Structure formats: C-alpha cells, structure tokens
C-alpha cells in the first residue's frame, strides 16, 4: 500500500506537495491543468529523470498499474499488436491446484512481510521520536550560545540546524576526563584575542637582586670593639657596652679648657682631656674601618633593595598587568614576603651600625626571591601563550572551538549515550527484521518459480478476449472487436479490414476499448513469469472523451471490478468531472470513513497543490446540478444523474430521510413515475442500467416526477426557489 506520494519540482508542481493516505480507495478531483496527468505519469514511470525530486512511500515494493494517456499511447498507438493477457486454463486441475497452493503461500508470506514492514516502521518511528527528543535537548546549545553575548557563537557555524548539530555532537568522542576549562574561561580566551580590546602584553620583570653577598658578610656577626691596649679598655670591657661609650663621645667638646668637663652620662665634673683622649684612643682606626664598612654595606643593600622591590613604582608596574588581576592574592603574598624580608634586613643593619658590638640575624633572601620569580615566570608563560594566540588567531579560535565541543560532549554525554544505545538496539531489531524479510522473499521467489513452471503449460488468452468482446457488446459497441493474433497477441478488427483500426475509432471508442484492455491487464497476467502480486491501480480520467451515456457504466465497472475486490491492494482515481467523482464516492458515511479518502487538486501562481477534501465540499456544487436539470438540451443521462444527486443530497444529508420513505407516497406510485423511481434509487438491483435501457427518457415526465418528490415531501418552496419559479 502506498502511504505517501510527494510531488516536487516537475511541471506545475513548483514546490513540494504531498498526498498521504491509509485508505484502499483514493478519489482525486481536479480541473484540467491542475496536475493530475503529471501525478499519473510519475506513477506510470517513476524512474524518469524528470521525477528525481518526487517520491513514493510504500510498505513493500508495489506492482502499480496505471491507466492514462501514456498507457494508451504505449499500448495502442505505438504497437500494432496488443500483448496477450494470460489467464489460467481449467483443463489441468493438478497444475491449477499447485498454483493455488503456491499463491496461497505467497499471500501468507506477503502478509508476514507486511507485518514485518509495519514492525520495522514502528521501530523506525520510535527511533525518529527518540532522535527528535534528543535533538531538542542538544538544541539548547544553539539557543544558549547563539544568543546573549554570542562570544562562542562562531563555534556553531554551519551547525544551526537541529539535525546537523546533533550529528556533529554525537560524532565527537567523549573525553576521558572532564575538560579543565569552563565556558567562562573559553569566553575570556576568545575575547582576549579578538575585538577592539585584543592586544599583546609585555612580559613582567623578575627580581634581579645584586646584594646577596651583603647578607653573607661576616662583619654582621663580628663584635666590633675598641683598642684593647687603651688604659680604659678594662673599664669599657667591664661595662660591656662600648657602643654606649662611643655614643657619649659626641657630647664632649674637642678640647676641655677648664681641666674638667661634665660627664655626659652622670653630669659630674669628671671628664678631663686625658680621659677624653684615652676614650678616643680606645675607638681606633680598625674600629672606624669596621663602622665605615657597615655603612657602605647598608648603602649598597638599600640601593639594591630599592631597585628590586622597595621602590613604589616597581610594584605599580606589576599590578598594572591584567594577567595579575586574577592572581593578585598570590602576587601580594610572594611580593610581601620579599619586601618584608629585605626591609627587616635593612633595619637589622642599621641596628648593627648603631651598636657595632652586637651580633645581628640577617635573613637570606634567596629562597623568597626565587619563589617570587618562579611565580612571575608562570605569569609570563601565560602572557607568552596569549601573545602567541594573538599572532596565530585562526589556529587559536579552532583550538577553543575543539575545547568548546569537547566540553559540550562531556556535559551532554548522558543524553547522547542513552540515544546511541537505543539506536544500536533498534537498528539491530531492524536488521533482524530485514533478514526475516529476505528469507521470506527468497521463499516467495521459490514459490514464484513453481507457479511459472506450472503456468507454462496451462495459460491462455482466450478468456481475456472473451471478456473484452462481451463488454463491448454490452456497451452497444458491436462494429469492432479483438481477436487472437499469433501466439500471445491481440489485434483489433473491423469487418471492413481497416489497416489501422485503432486510429479510425472515435475518441470515445478508443477510451472504451483501451480501458477494457486495462481492466483485463489488471485481472490477468502479462507474462508466464507473473506470479500474481496484489496490484495498486491508478486510473487517470477514464471518462474525459466519453459521452455521458457511458460515464456511469464506466463508474459501475470501476466500483465492481476495483472497489469491491480483495484482489487489489489500493486504488487511485483521478478525474476532472465532479459528477463522476460523486458517482464513485460512497454515500454511506461509515463505509466511506473506513475505505475511502477524498482529495482535491488545485493550481495557483505557486503551482499545483494536493489537499484533503471533505465529502461535504462536493455538496457545494449543489446549485450546479439545478442549473443542468433546467436545461432540456443537456444529455438525458446527465440530467437524470443530476436529479438523482439533488434528491440524494437534499434528503440524505439535509433532511436525513431515507429515499424509500420519500417514494412510498401514493402520488409517486403511478406507473409513469416508476422509471424515475428506479433510476433515483441507487440501491435498486437495476443500478446503472435502467436509464440506459430506455436509451433516452421523457424529460417532461422526469421533471414532473422530480417536482412531485419535493411537493409531496413538503418542500415545494425549496423546489420553486431553486428552479427560480416566482
């Protein structure tokens, strides 16, 4: 069964339009030029390159038989002889039974194949549903990063489609470990290398400290004292405070004029020139040299410290670099460790100068400075990396993109892994079903070989010839017929022995015989290798050239042969005739809903379109029926059919009355009204025949009968309104 036909980019189908159905009978109505012939041509020859953009969805590979102008052209104009249609002979009962058994097995296998197809489609639908759900989830990536600040939107280039984005993400291997960088970090990296603020940065200077030797100088641990040979050395050593004595000298004058001077410590008149000289002699040249060395060390050490870290502008240069912003706390710790160590050493050295006899603890700055420099080295490495990224912007953006998708793959792993596991499971089921289908097809082929072998000696074409000729006689066409020609061909014959009989027929006659031949091709087999698959029948406007006297016979033949037969899988009828369309439509709502689907073809500036048509839409043409019955010059069969359509529409659909109840009125029992009654009653055993038995009818009697139906039913006012009788 065909479930969907898609037409696109061919003839009047300028854009995609689809016909979707799950019904056996599909009726398609459309005016001439709306695209019916293009649709039937596609079904007739799907492999034509002009239909590359068209497609058919079906449960299995279908055997499609199409009646169209192309069919007539191929079979009747371009070939002098018609190919025979094979039917089974009943002479060989054993072969017939063998064939029937094989056909039964094929039918059962095809039923199994259909069930497998349905199960496969169910699995495919399940997989599609799961994929859509997963795609909707991963689509969050697009909505998140293609909006807002859009910094990472470039990572979605050519992926702004649910299907493409999901496939891209699913094809990325999940990282072994969670990616180190966050989305915020990736954004900052992108912002750092593109845009107006993107710039390269200078490397930070490390501390180049040149006074490490000061910290190791032995004089710092030396007890600096005066001359031990001085007469007062014993006293000063006893006091153990030469620094105190040295400080006191600055308060004594250079020359003591009065013989004595007040002691700077006790203020007694005890200081003489001799004592002063003795004290000065104690602090000899060696002592002064040591003091000078300490002062020189202090000067050198302070200068080195200022150049390294102690000068305020130096720290400002560090803090101005943006790469220290995030690590400012670490920087402060390392910097302050060096700063305070050097500052403490300076203070200790100053103490030593003031009190030379004391030993001081001088800290080694090597480790602190190394730790600071190592920290700065890491910052500089980040700056180098940044500057390199600026120099190689495209490569950098690609690296960030890879890191972005690795992070997305990690974040959406549960969603993707669940889908991939489901996909693997479902695809295995589908593969298993495909194997079963192939096994079934192999067995079908085996049974087909059995049928072909049995048919080789049992087939004939006489029954098809008999059917076509009998049908022609029943339709009143008895001046031409077909006969067997050679082994497996037909030939159209006239008594006059015309050389090209088909071309001499009227358009209506051509339509009739070609359609009867088509019907028989659907009934029979076109070759001995035909194993009788169920067929899909497509009939394109079979009444286009027929007089109205034949229209309803063709309608009856279609319903009897195709609608009411289990031999056919599906039927598609295309017609431009609303009357014929209505004739084929089942008036019973329950049967119509179960078996039929109605479509309308239209065409506008955008091209041809196919849409579902409601049964009630047919009734929109109700008034057109009234216009026809008022015109006595219209073909009798058309007038009668329009009368029937009006009565069925009005009483069945508007008044919800049964026609039998309407015609039970005594006034309608008159014999002269019986022909009208039998024709209008579609349930009559004479359906489709009664009006043609008369060849034509009395228009006045039918018109009177028609009016009487409305009068006796209480709707004379409606009748007068529609007939515009004042």
């Amino acid at each position: 069964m065909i479930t969907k036909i898609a037409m696109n980019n061919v003839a009047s189908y300028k854009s995609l339009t689809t016909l979707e159905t799950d019904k056996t009978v599909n009726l398609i109505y459309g005016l001439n030029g709306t695209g019916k012939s293009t649709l039937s041509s596609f079904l007739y020859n799907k492999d034509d390159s002009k239909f590359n953009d068209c497609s058919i969805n079906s449960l299995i590979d279908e055997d499609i038989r199409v009646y169209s102008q192309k069919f007539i052209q191929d079979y009747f104009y371009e070939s002098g002889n018609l190919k025979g249609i094979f039917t089974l002979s009943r002479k060989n009962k054993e072969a017939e039974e063998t064939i029937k058994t094989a056909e039964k097995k094929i039918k059962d296998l095809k039923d199994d194949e259909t069930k497998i197809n349905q199960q496969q489609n169910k699995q495919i639908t399940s997989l599609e549903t799961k994929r859509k759900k997963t795609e909707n989830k991963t689509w969050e990536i697009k909505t998140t990063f293609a909006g807002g600040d859009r910094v990472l939107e470039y990572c979605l280039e050519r992926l702004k489609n649910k299907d493409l984005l999901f496939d891209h993400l699913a094809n990325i291997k999940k990282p072994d470990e969670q990616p180190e960088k966050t989305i915020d970090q990736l954004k900052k990296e992108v912002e750092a290398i593109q845009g107006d603020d993107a710039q390269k940065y200078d490397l930070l200077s490390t501390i180049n400290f040149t006074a490490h030797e000061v910290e190791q100088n032995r004089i710092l641990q030396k007890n600096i004292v005066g001359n031990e040979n001085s007469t007062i050395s014993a006293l000063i050593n006893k006091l153990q405070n030469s620094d105190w004595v040295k400080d006191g000298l600055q308060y004594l004058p250079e020359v003591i004029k009065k013989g004595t001077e007040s002691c700077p410590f006790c203020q007694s008149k005890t200081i003489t020139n001799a004592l002063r000289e003795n004290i000065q002699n104690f602090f000899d040249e060696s002592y002064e040299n040591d003091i000078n060395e300490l002062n020189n060390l202090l000067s050198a050490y302070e200068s080195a410290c200022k150049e390294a870290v102690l000068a305020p502008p130096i720290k400002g240069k560090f803090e101005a670099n943006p790469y220290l912003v995030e690590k400012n706390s670490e920087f402060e710790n390392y910097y302050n460790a060096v700063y305070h160590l050097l500052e403490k050493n300076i203070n200790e050295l100053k103490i030593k100068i003031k009190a030379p006899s004391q030993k001081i603890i001088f800290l080694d700055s090597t480790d602190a400075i190394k730790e600071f420099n190592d920290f700065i080295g890491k910052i500089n490495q980040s700056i180098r990396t940044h500057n390199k990224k600026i120099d190689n912007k495209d490569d950098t953006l690609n690296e960030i993109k890879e890191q972005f998708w690795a992070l997305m793959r990690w974040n959406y792993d549960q969603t993707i892994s669940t889908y991939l596991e489901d996909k693997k499971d479902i695809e295995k089921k589908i593969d298993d079903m495909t194997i079963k289908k192939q096994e079934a097809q192999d067995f079908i082929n085996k049974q087909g070989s059995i049928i072909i072998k049995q048919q080789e000696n049992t087939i004939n074409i006489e029954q098809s010839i008999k059917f076509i000729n009998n049908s022609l006689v029943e339709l009143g066409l008895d001046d031409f017929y077909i006969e067997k020609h050679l082994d497996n061909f037909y030939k159209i014959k006239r008594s006059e022995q015309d050389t090209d009989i088909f071309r001499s027929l009227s358009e209506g006659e051509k339509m009739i015989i070609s359609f009867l031949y088509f019907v028989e091709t659907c009934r029979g087999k076109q070759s001995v290798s035909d194993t009788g698959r169920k067929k899909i029948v497509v009939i394109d406007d079979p009444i286009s050239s027929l007089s109205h006297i034949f229209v309803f016979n063709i309608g009856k033949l279609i319903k009897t042969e195709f609608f009411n037969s289990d031999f056919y899988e599906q039927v598609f009828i295309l017609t431009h005739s609303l009357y014929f369309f209505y004739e084929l439509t089942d008036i019973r709502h329950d049967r119509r809903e179960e078996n039929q689907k109605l479509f309308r073809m239209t065409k506008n500036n955008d091209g041809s379109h196919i849409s579902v048509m409601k049964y009630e839409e047919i009734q929109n043409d109700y008034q057109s029926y009234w216009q026809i019955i008022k015109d006595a010059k219209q073909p009798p069969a058309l007038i009668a059919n329009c009368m029937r359509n009006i009565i069925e529409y009005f009483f069945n659909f508007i008044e919800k009355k049964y026609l039998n109840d309407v015609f039970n009125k005594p006034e309608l029992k008159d014999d002269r009204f019986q022909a009208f009654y039998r024709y209008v009653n579609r349930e009559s055993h004479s359906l489709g025949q009664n009006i043609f038995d008369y060849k034509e009818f009395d228009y006045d009697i039918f018109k009177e009968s028609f009016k009487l139906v409305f009068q006796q039913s209480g709707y004379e006012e409606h009748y007068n309104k529609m007939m515009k009788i004042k």
Side-chain angles (χ1 to χ4, degrees):
M1 174 178 285
I2 293 174
T3 58
K4 181 178 179 180
I5 302 173
M7 301 297 294
N8 187 28
N9 196 28
V10 58
S12 60
Y13 293 95
K14 298 179 181 179
S15 58
L16 177 65
T17 186
T18 59
L19 182 155
E20 298 186 46
T21 180
D22 58 355
K23 305 301 182 187
T24 305
V25 176
N26 300 274
L27 306 178
I28 306 166
Y29 168 71
L31 298 177
N32 290 332
T34 55
K36 299 190 300 300
S37 295
T38 304
L39 176 61
S40 66
S41 295
F42 169 54
L43 297 175
Y44 187 78
N45 184 11
K46 302 186 295 296
D47 297 329
D48 192 321
S49 61
K50 68 182 179 182
F51 298 116
N52 284 344
D53 295 328
C54 304
S55 63
I56 294 176
N57 290 1
S58 58
L59 298 180
I60 58 175
D61 184 23
E62 309 288 2
D63 180 6
I64 304 176
R65 304 292 177 90
V66 180
Y67 177 77
S68 63
Q69 288 299 316
K70 189 67 171 66
F71 172 86
I72 298 172
Q73 185 73 25
D74 289 347
Y75 281 84
F76 288 86
Y77 282 98
E78 296 183 1
S79 175
N81 299 318
L82 298 176
K83 189 176 181 181
I85 303 158
F86 301 110
T87 54
L88 291 179
S89 169
R90 298 189 179 276
K91 294 179 181 180
N92 191 329
K93 288 290 184 181
E94 183 178 349
E96 183 181 357
E97 289 301 321
T98 303
I99 290 172
K100 283 184 177 180
T101 301
E103 287 178 341
K104 175 65 168 59
K105 290 180 180 179
I106 289 176
K107 179 182 180 303
D108 292 341
L109 287 167
K110 284 188 174 294
D111 289 342
D112 291 341
E113 189 176 19
T114 299
K115 290 178 183 178
I116 294 174
N117 277 325
Q118 291 172 340
Q119 292 171 357
Q120 276 190 323
N121 289 338
K122 184 177 180 181
Q123 292 296 327
I124 291 170
T125 300
S126 173
L127 184 59
E128 289 174 349
T129 301
K130 290 179 183 294
R131 181 181 173 98
K132 284 185 180 296
K133 182 178 179 181
T134 308
E135 283 180 354
N136 289 336
K137 179 65 178 175
T138 56
W139 190 240
E140 293 173 356
I141 298 172
K142 186 268 179 187
T143 57
T144 300
F145 296 103
D149 54 34
R150 299 180 182 272
V151 174
L152 294 171
E153 184 177 11
Y154 81 95
C155 296
L156 300 169
E157 185 179 355
R158 294 190 296 276
L159 295 175
K160 292 181 180 179
N161 170 284
K162 287 185 178 181
D163 187 57
L164 294 176
L165 187 147
F166 173 74
D167 285 338
H168 177 76
L169 188 61
N171 289 327
I172 296 173
K173 182 182 177 182
K174 178 188 174 184
D176 295 331
E177 297 179 349
Q178 182 173 1
E180 295 180 359
K181 294 181 181 178
T182 65
I183 287 297
D184 287 340
Q185 289 173 323
L186 294 178
K187 284 183 177 180
K188 288 180 179 178
E189 289 186 16
V190 173
E191 290 172 335
I193 63 171
Q194 64 181 6
D196 297 335
D197 297 332
Q199 60 177 316
K200 296 169 71 173
Y201 296 101
D202 294 331
L203 298 178
L204 296 170
S205 299
T206 56
I207 295 176
N208 182 22
F209 191 56
T210 59
H212 282 297
E213 69 279 1
V214 174
E215 298 169 354
Q216 308 300 323
N217 198 303
R218 293 181 179 181
I219 197 172
L220 300 176
Q221 297 295 314
K222 182 179 179 180
N223 183 12
I224 300 174
V225 294
N227 183 4
E228 293 294 331
N229 296 320
S230 173
T231 57
I232 64 169
S233 63
L235 175 64
I236 294 175
N237 290 334
K238 185 178 182 179
L239 293 174
Q240 293 184 347
N241 202 339
S242 61
D243 301 326
W244 178 67
V245 176
K246 179 72 167 63
D247 282 343
L249 282 175
Q250 63 182 313
Y251 299 104
L252 295 177
E254 289 293 326
V255 178
I256 300 174
K257 298 178 180 181
K258 296 180 180 181
T260 62
E261 188 66 42
S262 298
C263 177
F265 303 108
C266 67
Q267 298 300 311
S268 297
K269 296 290 187 177
T270 59
I271 302 301
T272 65
N273 279 320
L275 178 60
R276 181 181 183 284
E277 289 177 0
N278 286 332
I279 293 174
Q280 287 178 336
N281 289 335
F282 179 81
F283 297 105
D284 59 5
E285 182 179 359
S286 175
Y287 180 90
E288 291 299 330
N289 288 338
D290 287 342
I291 296 301
N292 288 335
E293 184 177 354
L294 288 175
N295 284 322
N296 290 334
L297 289 176
L298 175 62
S299 176
Y301 199 77
E302 282 185 322
S303 176
C305 289
K306 286 181 181 180
E307 290 180 4
V309 294
L310 297 185
I314 294 176
K315 185 179 182 184
K317 289 181 180 179
F318 282 110
E319 292 175 331
N321 193 297
Y323 271 80
L324 280 176
V325 173
E326 291 184 0
K327 297 184 179 293
N328 185 62
S329 177
E330 291 180 74
F331 168 74
E332 289 289 342
N333 290 336
Y334 287 116
Y335 180 85
N336 289 336
V338 176
Y339 184 92
H340 294 312
L341 185 149
L342 297 180
E343 190 177 50
K344 183 178 181 182
N345 282 349
I346 290 173
N347 291 333
E348 288 292 324
L349 189 52
K350 288 180 179 179
I351 291 172
K352 177 69 174 176
I353 292 172
K354 275 190 173 185
S357 64
Q358 295 185 24
K359 295 180 179 181
I360 62 173
I361 300 175
F362 223 62
L363 301 175
D364 188 345
S365 63
T366 303
D367 290 342
I369 291 175
K370 182 179 184 303
E371 289 177 357
F372 178 85
N373 286 342
D374 288 345
F375 169 74
I376 294 300
K378 292 179 181 178
I379 299 298
N380 282 338
Q381 184 57 45
S382 297
I383 295 174
R384 290 189 189 94
T385 301
H386 166 77
N387 291 343
K388 184 178 179 181
K389 289 179 179 179
I390 291 286
D391 293 334
N392 302 279
K393 180 178 176 181
D394 292 340
D395 292 340
T396 301
L397 289 175
N398 286 332
E399 289 177 9
I400 295 173
K401 181 189 287 189
E402 291 178 4
Q403 293 168 347
F404 169 83
W405 283 112
L407 182 59
M408 292 300 101
R409 181 62 180 83
W410 179 273
N411 291 345
Y412 285 87
D413 177 64
Q414 183 175 358
T415 299
I416 294 170
S417 296
T418 299
Y419 168 76
L420 293 177
E421 289 174 5
D422 290 343
K423 181 174 181 285
K424 182 179 179 181
D425 180 58
I426 290 174
E427 287 180 343
K428 185 179 184 306
K429 292 178 181 178
I430 293 174
D431 290 342
D432 291 343
M433 293 176 190
T434 300
I435 293 172
K436 290 181 180 179
K437 281 170 57 178
Q438 185 58 52
E439 291 173 350
Q441 187 59 52
D442 291 343
F443 198 77
I444 288 172
N445 294 338
K446 181 178 179 181
Q447 297 301 313
S449 298
I450 293 173
I451 293 174
I452 292 171
K453 183 176 180 181
Q454 295 298 321
Q455 285 181 168
E456 287 177 349
N457 298 318
T458 61
I459 58 173
N460 63 56
I461 64 173
E462 282 77 7
Q463 289 186 28
S464 295
I465 294 174
K466 182 178 179 181
F467 167 78
I468 294 174
N469 286 335
N470 287 344
S471 297
L472 289 172
V473 172
E474 288 177 7
L475 291 170
L477 301 174
D478 53 7
D479 57 343
F480 63 93
Y481 58 94
I482 66 169
E483 65 177 21
K484 185 175 180 179
H485 178 65
L486 301 177
D487 288 337
N488 292 315
F489 288 94
Y490 304 153
K491 197 171 186 67
I492 303 174
K493 296 286 290 184
R494 273 189 196 273
S495 56
E496 296 88 352
Q497 300 294 321
D498 290 344
T499 57
D500 192 352
I501 304 301
F502 187 77
R503 294 182 186 273
S504 71
L505 300 178
S506 69
E507 289 302 313
E509 290 171 332
K510 291 176 183 177
M511 185 67 73
I512 290 292
I513 193 168
S514 63
F515 187 70
L516 291 174
Y517 178 78
F518 173 77
V519 171
E520 195 60 19
T521 63
C522 294
R523 281 182 173 184
K525 306 173 189 297
Q526 293 182 301
S527 70
V528 294
S529 61
D530 189 343
T531 56
R533 289 187 297 165
K534 274 193 174 182
K535 304 174 181 68
I536 291 178
V537 176
V538 180
I539 301 174
D540 182 9
D541 245 349
I543 61 163
S544 59
S545 301
L546 296 181
S547 65
H548 288 85
I549 200 69
F550 295 120
V551 167
F552 307 108
N553 271 8
I554 294 297
K556 177 192 173 187
L557 178 61
I558 289 174
K559 287 188 287 186
T560 302
E561 180 66 30
F562 299 115
F563 289 9
N564 303 322
S565 173
D566 293 332
F567 186 67
Y568 302 102
E569 184 81 18
Q570 201 173 24
V571 183
F572 291 84
I573 310 293
L574 300 92
T575 181
H576 74 288
S577 170
L578 185 65
Y579 309 113
F580 188 63
F581 185 79
Y582 185 78
E583 182 73 17
L584 297 178
T585 305
D586 197 326
I587 63 173
R588 281 186 52 176
H589 176 77
D590 55 343
R591 288 192 313 222
R592 187 175 66 251
E593 287 295 311
E594 181 180 358
N595 300 314
Q596 292 189 343
K597 192 163 187 179
L598 312 182
F599 298 91
R600 183 191 294 272
M601 275 192 179
T602 56
K603 188 174 75 171
N604 55 26
N605 291 336
D606 297 328
S608 294
H609 304 278
I610 304 172
S611 58
V612 176
M613 184 177 183
K614 295 181 179 179
Y615 180 67
E616 291 73 16
E617 293 180 42
I618 305 173
Q619 298 155 20
N620 292 341
D621 296 278
Y622 179 62
Q623 287 186 333
S624 65
Y625 296 136
W626 287 90
Q627 294 295 329
I628 291 172
I629 66 173
K630 288 188 292 183
D631 184 2
K633 296 181 180 180
Q634 290 286 347
L638 179 58
I639 293 174
N641 191 53
C642 288
M643 287 181 174
R644 182 172 69 184
N645 288 341
I646 288 172
I647 290 174
E648 285 183 347
Y649 168 74
F650 186 79
F651 289 98
N652 285 345
F653 300 110
I654 295 181
E655 294 304 317
K656 309 296 183 185
K657 292 184 178 182
Y658 293 104
L659 287 180
N660 286 338
D661 295 338
V662 175
F663 283 99
N664 280 334
K665 302 285 185 180
E667 292 79 4
L668 292 168
K669 295 291 187 179
D670 193 297
D671 288 343
R672 63 197 179 112
F673 299 142
Q674 289 306 300
F676 178 76
Y677 166 70
R678 288 197 307 275
Y679 184 75
V680 170
N681 184 3
R682 286 166 66 106
E683 300 303 322
S684 169
H685 64 84
S686 58
L687 175 63
Q689 294 180 359
N690 44 34
I691 194 62
F692 307 122
D693 293 340
Y694 294 92
K695 303 299 182 185
E696 59 183 23
F697 60 81
D698 188 315
Y699 175 75
D700 292 331
I701 292 178
F702 263 57
K703 186 176 180 182
E704 182 182 353
S705 303
F706 181 69
K707 178 178 181 180
L708 196 58
V709 169
F710 283 92
Q711 287 178 333
Q712 294 302 316
S713 301
Y715 299 107
E716 183 175 7
E717 182 179 350
H718 177 71
Y719 174 85
N720 291 338
K721 178 181 179 181
M722 299 308 294
M723 296 293 286
K724 290 187 171 53
I725 299 176
K726 298 182 180 179

